Amino acid sequence: EYDEDVIFEQSPASGKIRKGDKITVVVSSGSDMITLADYTGKNIDVVTAELDALKINYVTEYKAVNNYSKNEVFQQSPGNGSKIKRTSTITLYVSSGIPVPDLLGLTKDRAIATLRDAGLVEGTISEEASSEKAGTVFWQSTPKETPVDKGTEISFTISKYSSGPVVTTIPT
């Protein structure tokens, strides 16, 4: 119920004593309960160092998620503000990176919006002749589902025109 190293009882309780008299104190070894901090958005190395210092058990689970950089905690269980016993184990859910979305076949504007929605940034956008539908992405610098850090630039190329089959009419 008291923080660690806090004197919470003494004998005699109060009054005058003479030099050389004995005073007995009781010092807290700390509470069995702690209140969890909010670890979301923090680097897993920083969080585990803090938990190790507090002697709190934890497990980690990694998952590719949008808007969180690699090794960033995106969820914890129990949550922020929860009171737990020091002997409890908390679960830290950690980003293995943002999965790059599939941009192929999207328009330039839709590709940019898709990247930004995922926490990524458009890199170099070029146009090139191709056999793909005009105005759509036909190449991207990082393959879909590849885990990357938040804010990573993804470049892509838009088809200038569609070079479909050439139809020639021959007069008869």
Side-chain angles (χ1 to χ4, degrees):
E1 145 177 3
Y2 295 96
D3 289 336
E4 189 172 1
D5 296 328
V6 171
I7 297 172
F8 65 91
E9 187 178 310
Q10 73 178 37
S11 176
S14 63
K16 292 185 179 187
I17 58 168
R18 284 179 261 149
K19 186 176 180 178
D21 284 353
K22 182 178 172 184
I23 298 175
T24 304
V25 295
V26 180
V27 180
S28 172
S29 59
S31 172
D32 285 343
M33 300 295 285
I34 60 159
T35 302
L36 285 179
D38 184 6
Y39 299 114
T40 57
K42 295 183 179 178
N43 182 281
I44 188 62
D45 295 333
V46 172
V47 172
T48 55
E50 185 177 326
L51 294 174
D52 287 341
L54 294 170
K55 297 182 173 116
I56 298 172
N57 300 317
Y58 58 87
V59 295
T60 54
E61 291 186 22
Y62 285 81
K63 182 179 177 184
V65 293
N66 287 349
N67 296 310
Y68 286 90
S69 291
K70 188 175 181 179
N71 294 322
E72 193 173 348
V73 176
F74 65 88
Q75 186 180 353
Q76 67 187 62
S77 179
N80 172 32
S82 298
K83 291 194 180 296
I84 64 165
K85 288 186 176 185
R86 281 191 188 276
T87 56
S88 298
T89 299
I90 69 168
T91 303
L92 300 168
Y93 298 92
V94 184
S95 175
S96 59
I98 296 171
V100 173
D102 185 3
L103 305 178
L104 301 181
L106 300 179
T107 64
K108 176 181 173 182
D109 290 343
R110 189 71 223 134
I112 291 170
T114 299
L115 288 172
R116 290 180 182 172
D117 287 348
L120 304 174
V121 179
E122 66 275 9
T124 302
I125 302 170
S126 57
E127 288 188 14
E128 224 176 83
S130 87
S131 61
E132 300 301 318
K133 182 178 175 187
T136 63
V137 176
F138 72 92
W139 175 86
Q140 64 186 69
S141 60
T142 306
K144 70 178 180 180
E145 301 303 319
T146 303
V148 297
D149 283 337
K150 182 178 179 180
T152 296
E153 286 188 2
I154 308 296
S155 297
F156 57 90
T157 304
I158 303 286
S159 178
K160 270 190 187 177
Y161 61 84
S162 182
S163 59
V166 177
V167 178
T168 305
T169 306
I170 302 174
T172 52

